[in-house]
Amino acid sequence: MTELTGTDSTLDRFHFLVNAPALFNAVTSAVEFGIFRFLSGNPGADFDRVQEFTGVPHHQLRVLLQAVCSTGLLEREEGAYRNSPVAESLLASEADDSWAHILVGWKEVYYPAFTQMTKALRAGTNTALDSYPGDEPTLYQRLSRNPEVEAVFHRAMSAFTLRSVDALVEREEFASVRRLLDVGGGDGTTSLKLVARHPRLTSTVFDMPSVSRLADEKTAATSAERVELLPGDIFNDVFPRGFDAILFSHVLEIFSEDQILGLLKKGYDALPEGGRIFLYGYNVSDDETAGIFGARLGLYFNVLASGQGMAYPAGDYESWLSQVGFKQVSTVRRMPYEHGLTVGIK
């Protein structure tokens, strides 16, 4: 047996990895108890003040704070607690892009499903979906039966989108777009950012009716006149015409190659000559060995969300766009959080 040294970086990652599930949940519990938010306004609070704020029993709070301190997200000095700079930046706020929303969504939806990973991968289908009532084949469809969990899920998705979307929104390609069809655009987060950045752009969000209701709440108070909602089924309904560009943002990676080709063909047929298509989302490395965000996402898709899909390499998207007829296909790589933007022109 090869002897491993304590300085081996892979060994260090292994040791953290095997403890990470418990530590992730400890950090998320601290979020739900409001500890990071409390310490943001009360840096240097002692244990008794934290306990008074949370109401957690003494021993259990002691265990929790020790766990969170072990991650480095909380700092303790002479009995006083503070947020680390990372925690202050990412977890202390209730803003729409706060990682606090992301962690709660992952805890409630993503990670419980991963206990079925071996079973799901062996079966070749998303067996963890059985935890959600209904007979629909994807998590997104079944969540419509549980509006409370659906709202938590989309709040987490929206927060993570906001963490990465500025790199998309700032792309100069959108400056000349006038009418955009945002296919599978969820609660409208991306469209709202795009129309705010590009004043001559209007967008139509095409997604399931239950998701459109969430989007309606978000767009009504801000950009209702420039972000239209179109409830429908992206697979069974015809894509509307009259748009000079189509955006798939965080959509295609959910599905299989055949399904993706079908959606891209529908997009091609709906666009006029010169119309552009934008594919934005996670890309694993070309050799499919790098990308921890993409790796997590692919497992989630196959165990729970759809039973297929992955964070495909950019080369796959380029090939598929070319197959359905798009020209001048190219990809902007190395965008934040392992994202890429692949573009084609009809």
Side-chain angles (χ1 to χ4, degrees):
M1 183 175 65
T2 303
E3 183 176 351
L4 299 175
T5 68
T7 58
D8 188 302
S9 62
T10 304
L11 179 61
D12 290 340
R13 291 180 71 180
F14 173 80
H15 286 155
F16 187 81
L17 174 69
V18 296
N19 290 287
L23 297 176
F24 168 84
N25 282 283
V27 172
T28 308
S29 291
V31 165
E32 293 177 310
F33 287 134
I35 291 173
F36 298 109
R37 191 172 67 252
F38 173 74
L39 290 176
S40 181
N42 301 275
D46 62 15
F47 183 94
D48 289 340
R49 291 186 65 196
V50 177
Q51 184 184 24
E52 180 182 5
F53 173 76
T54 63
V56 177
H58 184 282
H59 178 74
Q60 281 69 29
L61 181 62
R62 182 182 179 189
V63 170
L64 175 64
L65 292 177
Q66 187 274 323
V68 181
C69 284
S70 77
T71 70
L73 290 170
L74 287 185
E75 299 169 352
R76 183 175 185 264
E77 184 177 357
E78 297 181 354
Y81 293 90
R82 297 178 182 275
N83 290 331
S84 71
V86 170
E88 185 67 26
S89 174
L90 302 184
L91 299 171
S93 166
E94 287 292 307
D96 288 344
D97 67 346
S98 174
W99 267 89
H101 304 311
I102 299 170
L103 296 192
V104 172
W106 288 4
K107 173 196 167 189
E108 295 294 325
V109 180
Y110 280 29
Y111 289 139
F114 287 165
T115 61
Q116 291 206 42
M117 188 176 297
T118 303
K119 176 182 177 182
L121 297 178
R122 179 177 287 126
T125 189
N126 48 335
T127 58
L129 189 62
D130 293 343
S131 299
Y132 293 84
D135 56 7
E136 298 89 348
T138 72
L139 171 68
Y140 312 103
Q141 294 164 308
R142 293 199 189 185
L143 280 177
S144 64
R145 298 171 180 266
N146 191 330
E148 183 177 345
V149 176
E150 185 177 44
V152 169
F153 175 77
H154 281 283
R155 189 180 304 121
M157 286 187 63
S158 175
F160 200 88
T161 295
L162 288 170
R163 287 279 160 182
S164 65
V165 76
D166 283 349
L168 171 70
V169 169
E170 294 297 327
R171 295 297 306 175
E172 63 182 15
E173 291 90 340
F174 288 97
S176 60
V177 175
R178 295 296 169 264
R179 295 199 65 206
L180 177 72
L181 181 65
D182 184 359
V183 179
D187 67 356
T189 295
T190 301
S191 281
L192 286 170
K193 293 283 285 187
L194 281 166
V195 301
R197 175 64 180 82
H198 303 282
R200 300 190 343 182
L201 173 68
T202 63
S203 182
T204 296
V205 179
F206 182 29
D207 212 323
M208 297 185 301
S210 65
V211 178
S212 290
R213 284 194 293 272
L214 294 174
D216 189 42
E217 297 171 5
K218 179 171 285 192
T219 61
T222 54
S223 301
E225 72 284 358
R226 295 178 56 211
V227 178
E228 179 185 10
L229 307 178
L230 179 63
D233 185 316
I234 66 173
F235 286 104
N236 295 319
D237 295 340
V238 175
F239 285 8
R241 297 176 180 268
F243 297 90
D244 53 329
I246 290 176
L247 170 66
F248 290 92
S249 176
H250 296 138
V251 176
L252 297 180
E253 53 259 71
I254 301 169
F255 304 114
S256 68
E257 177 178 348
D258 287 345
Q259 290 173 308
I260 293 170
L261 283 169
L263 289 171
L264 296 181
K265 181 63 166 61
K266 290 175 72 171
Y268 184 88
D269 292 342
L271 284 169
E273 291 293 323
R276 281 175 289 179
I277 192 164
F278 301 101
L279 315 182
Y280 180 68
Y282 298 85
N283 292 160
V284 298
S285 60
D286 291 336
D287 65 0
E288 300 188 23
T289 63
I292 58 173
F293 286 97
R296 173 195 53 80
L297 195 76
L299 292 167
Y300 151 72
F301 289 148
N302 284 270
V303 173
L304 174 62
S306 60
Q308 55 202 350
M310 64 180 290
Y312 295 99
D316 285 13
Y317 289 123
E318 293 173 350
S319 174
W320 295 330
L321 284 177
S322 297
Q323 283 183 56
V324 301
F326 286 99
K327 307 297 183 184
Q328 301 179 45
V329 175
S330 62
T331 298
V332 180
R333 298 170 183 260
R334 291 181 288 278
M335 298 174 81
Y337 290 105
E338 303 169 9
H339 279 59
L341 173 65
T342 303
V343 183
I345 300 175
K346 179 172 177 178

